[in-house]
Amino acid sequence: MLRSSLGNIGHLLTILAFISSLIATYAYWQSSREKNINSIWKKFANQAFAVHSVFVVGVVASLFTIIFNHYFEYHYAWDNSSLSLPLGYAISCFWQDQEGSFLLWIFWNALVGLALIIQFNRTKKHQALASPTMVIVAGIQAFLTSMILGVIIYGETKLGSSPFLTLKELNPDLPVWSLDPDFIPKDGNGLNPLLQNYWMVIHPPTLFLGFAMTMVPFALAISSLWKRDYHGWLNISLPWSLLAAVVLGSGIMMGGIWAYETLNFEGYWNWDPVENAVYVPWLILVAGFHTLFLARKSSSALKYSYILIIAQFIFILYSTFLTRSGILGNASVHSFTDLGLSGQLLVYLLSFTLGAIILAALRWKELPTDEKEASVYSAEFWVIIGVLVLSLAAFQVIVTTSIPVYNSIADGLGLDLNMALPTDQIAHYTGFQMWLFILAVVLMGVAQYFWWKKVKGKDLKSLINPAIISLFLTAIIIATTSVDKLAYIILITASVFGFVANFSILLDLFKGKLKVAGGAVTHIGVALMLLGIMYSSAYQKTISINNTGTEIFSDSEKESRENVLLWLNRDYKLQEYDIAYKGQFVDVREVPGYIEKRFIQPVIGTGFKGIARAAIVDDSDTLRYQGDTVEYEAENTYYQIAFEGKNGQNFNLYPRFQINEQMGNVASPDIKRLWNKDIYSHVNYVQSEEDREWSMPMEYQVAIKDTFFLNDYVAILEDVVGVKEVDGMEIKQGDAAAMAYVRILERDGEKLLSPTFVIKDNQVWSKPVVSNELGLRIQLSQIDPINGSFTFSIARSEREYIVLKAIEKPFINLLWLGIALLVIGMFISTFRRFRIALRKS
């Protein structure tokens, strides 16, 4: 009963969550109009928001139950999950489609709203801003909840798209319903293979938690303008801005790591429009919290803070519109298709954008004004310059990313704008962003010296030492890493200066002031990130150079030169490594490492179960016995590549390739991480069984010790012996079985193939042996005991091979170290600022 009603329960809870968010918004509005900050309206509003949060949790629980229990009568479960998915990846199904990702955002918003209520209740100083702020928070929830309502308003006009629709409700005209009204698919479509990665279990929740947190400083800024409390919001907004920046930034960086480990575009950032749409508000938010540091003492910084804090949330909404309205079309591999929600998204975006702009315009003349401009010898000046640089970086990215929007607006006006995104997006964006961040990282060093008053008045001598040390270290780095391009020499110099300047600040703070070291640690992380990005991108080296002259890809001379064709079990010599393709492997669940594919017999109809053809052993432990049923990632094949370094460094890589007719073929890399570089490899082509063509079998009648020729090979029938078991099947009395031993001589050695011939229950059959390495299929088809001759039926095919690309990415660990320091430093600052905010309240 619950199964059939679960969708109705979830839909009802969604409606109740929407209504309760509207009630909370209205109650907070009424509370904000009263002078009594602890009015009945406020208590009622807090209760309404708490009830709303309970409903949201109920909606989340309903959808999780449908997915985890494989209720495939519901479209969301059928479209995103399958029986074969393990629990961890089943969680990822929740946010694979638009409705689930909106629901995740709503869930985090509810928790953040409750945390904000608790914080307001614990503080007395900011009570006047509590209700106005929560009007904005509850209003945002009302807009978001409307996105998953799925309620028909009039005709075909609907409000939102519900995740609780059944297949029958979504596709009522399918013929299957007339044949079987209660039809339920046995399995679902499954999760996108690219999302079957542990980063996809934590990256989207972290990203959407960051989205939710950006709401808080925005709501505080709007409420302060509303109530004309132009300084009261600063103390509480700064820690929330820092926390939002660190969580959103962590989510973005997790996405980059996921892309590096999962996608085969050979990097961690591709300047895809969806990546840009999240990167831009993060940059603006980072710029915003820097101005918040100064806003209490500087009226200019206060004005910048309003602009930036409002803009960062508006751009969060804009990024949502870009990715979910379908306006990007084929411009992004990450964008969602339009579910008919683009109108709602546009109303959502314009409502908050126009409302914020109008309110800010009405209050702008009331904002305080500085009596004098900031001196070039002040920390304020250098921080503001850095903020402008970050803002310019964000502006450059969003202007280009929005080209599909310009085209869409022009189409609506009857104009044919037809602007195109840059052909080489990486070169386009990097060409601007590199120089802006060169300037930014220098400013990070200079501003820190002014901030900590290491520059005395107009005396800039204190900057000479870090400059000299930076030039010395830069010279060593350039000499030892053979950097020869002027742009990269400038980047290294700037990054090293940013590192040295901030490291000297950090050394000073070790004298009992580490709790304020967050900024220095963060800036050191940025400097290392820039170095890691430069070396791993600009100085990456393709090591899989095709030295045979073979044209592998007819449409690309470059790809033919940078990919190698590897025959099974044949060595290929590269400059630094000898590599060899060693076979196909699968990932058996709860078994460490990978297992050769030939040792797992698939169970037809399951898609993820197989029978172990041999015992699976780990050292002295037998993990699975022959004949055991095992679960494995049947759709994923891992190709073992053995690397043998000229310096004695040997390792195996297992890049993944999935032949997926439904979602398209998927290739994922494997990476060997070394202290000074990564070896990054991915498979660009594999043979499918359907592509392999076998020749018509040819018959060879030979006696024991006879030699016969198979085109490129010489074959010798060594012996034919009787056997008492074939593939675990016992040969009983009255039956007979024989196994032939055929030795194949080829260029690199010899192979022994053993086909069998069986007479059982008066039935004659033979089991062929297939050697993909040799491209042979040998079958012992007849035995003539009188003449002592044996007839073999032999078919030929192309030998098994793959096409591989391998890249060396130098010093990429500087990037990962820099990311870690960036996150740690921002967390230090966030923790300190929350303590200060609570202490001052």
Side-chain angles (χ1 to χ4, degrees), residues 38 102 266 270 317 346 448 570 668 733 792 806:
N38 292 313
F102 274 123
E266 302 166 9
N270 207 31
L317 301 184
L346 191 58
Q448 282 285 83
R570 297 292 197 278
S668 292
Q733 189 173 2
F792 292 91

Side-chain angles (χ1 to χ4, degrees), residues 585-700:
F585 287 71
V586 293
D587 186 10
V588 176
R589 293 176 188 170
E590 300 180 6
V591 170
Y594 300 99
I595 305 300
E596 280 195 74
K597 196 171 185 178
R598 62 191 178 96
F599 291 127
I600 305 296
Q601 173 65 48
V603 176
I604 305 300
T606 64
F608 68 103
K609 290 184 178 180
I611 304 298
R613 289 174 166 169
I616 299 176
V617 178
D618 181 23
D619 293 330
S620 59
D621 298 329
T622 301
L623 304 178
R624 298 290 187 275
Y625 292 93
Q626 182 178 356
D628 282 356
T629 299
V630 297
E631 293 185 0
Y632 70 114
E633 312 298 330
E635 68 275 19
N636 295 318
T637 300
Y638 298 84
Y639 296 82
Q640 186 189 68
I641 313 298
F643 283 74
E644 186 176 334
K646 302 297 172 63
N647 58 358
Q649 190 175 57
N650 303 330
F651 54 89
N652 292 323
L653 290 179
Y654 294 85
R656 181 184 74 171
F657 196 92
Q658 180 182 127
I659 299 175
N660 192 313
E661 296 180 359
Q662 187 174 11
M663 299 183 181
N665 294 346
V666 176
S668 292
D670 196 14
I671 303 163
K672 176 64 176 178
R673 303 185 187 278
L674 305 170
W675 74 270
N676 61 340
K677 61 185 176 183
D678 279 2
I679 304 298
Y680 177 107
S681 71
H682 64 91
V683 175
N684 268 332
Y685 178 79
V686 301
Q687 291 173 301
S688 66
E689 288 302 320
E690 292 75 15
D691 293 338
R692 175 171 290 182
E693 296 182 0
W694 290 92
S695 67
M696 290 294 294
M698 295 183 63
E699 292 193 344
Y700 297 82

Side-chain angles (χ1 to χ4, degrees), residues 72-107:
F72 294 128
E73 63 266 39
Y74 293 99
H75 178 267
Y76 202 92
W78 172 81
D79 193 39
N80 297 298
S81 69
S82 66
L83 295 173
S84 63
L85 279 177
L87 177 63
Y89 296 155
I91 295 174
S92 300
C93 297
F94 184 90
W95 44 76
Q96 176 170 259
D97 275 358
Q98 289 208 50
E99 300 91 342
S101 57
F102 274 123
L103 181 52
L104 180 62
W105 192 356
I106 293 165
F107 172 76

